Amino acid sequence: MTQGQHPAFHPGRCARLTIADELLGYAGELVPELVAAHHLPHRVAAYELDLDRLLELAPRAAQVSGISTYPAATQDVTLLVAAETPAAAIATSFTAGAGELLEDMQLVADYRGEGVAAGEKALTFALRFRAADRTLTAAEANEAKLAGVTAATAATGARIRD
């Protein structure tokens, strides 16, 4: 999944759905004009997907990992980056830096406006950390988060928003 562009989806809120670099469809937030024209709720997410091609490309055997008995530690992080920097680039570098304790990372906000410099955007990610063998301390989760920030900074110039 990478940043995408499609006339039905809001710029900056559209993803290209791919397998092995083959385009299977798009997902994102519909543009306001389309929403208004069809009398839909204020914000609508949608997707377009070639299911036949997905089934042809998808692996036949599912891989399942065990369910942890230890609780997750959750944190959020907001990073300031150049407006043209794809969120996926941030996530990739952050994930590599945060290491194996980072179980999940989801983009929850892409903000451009008051309080953010022109030409920049603030990306907020929800983070979930977990260890397979113990309950993480807040310090361990924070250390992994800061390692992710350091990697994202080195790769993309991102900086943590105060």
Side-chain angles (χ1 to χ4, degrees):
M1 182 168 62
T2 58
Q3 185 78 32
Q5 290 183 319
H6 187 282
F9 295 108
H10 195 290
R13 297 181 188 162
C14 177
R16 295 178 79 243
L17 306 176
T18 59
I19 290 182
D21 294 326
E22 184 167 336
L23 179 63
L24 297 178
Y26 294 91
E29 183 180 325
L30 294 178
V31 292
E33 298 83 10
L34 188 59
V35 169
H38 294 282
H39 308 289
L40 297 171
H42 177 67
R43 283 188 147 179
V44 176
Y47 67 92
E48 173 188 357
L49 187 62
D50 183 344
L51 289 176
D52 291 330
R53 190 66 181 136
L54 173 64
L55 292 175
E56 291 172 10
L57 294 171
R60 296 293 177 217
Q63 295 181 354
V64 179
S65 60
I67 298 173
S68 177
T69 59
Y70 295 99
T74 59
Q75 296 187 15
D76 290 342
V77 65
T78 300
L79 300 171
L80 295 168
V81 295
E84 64 274 3
T85 304
I90 302 293
T92 298
S93 58
F94 188 100
T95 299
E100 65 184 34
L101 294 180
L102 181 62
E103 182 178 84
D104 189 51
M105 178 177 189
Q106 297 292 321
L107 178 65
V108 295
D110 178 338
Y111 177 75
R112 303 153 205 238
E114 188 176 329
V116 175
E120 288 191 330
K121 62 184 174 182
L123 300 176
T124 301
F125 295 92
L127 311 171
R128 185 173 61 230
F129 299 95
R130 190 184 321 256
D133 60 344
R134 68 190 185 286
T135 299
L136 289 179
T137 65
E140 288 174 306
N142 198 51
E143 183 178 324
K145 176 178 84 173
L146 293 177
V149 170
T150 299
T153 299
T156 66
R159 63 189 189 285
I160 200 162
R161 184 176 189 184
D162 296 327

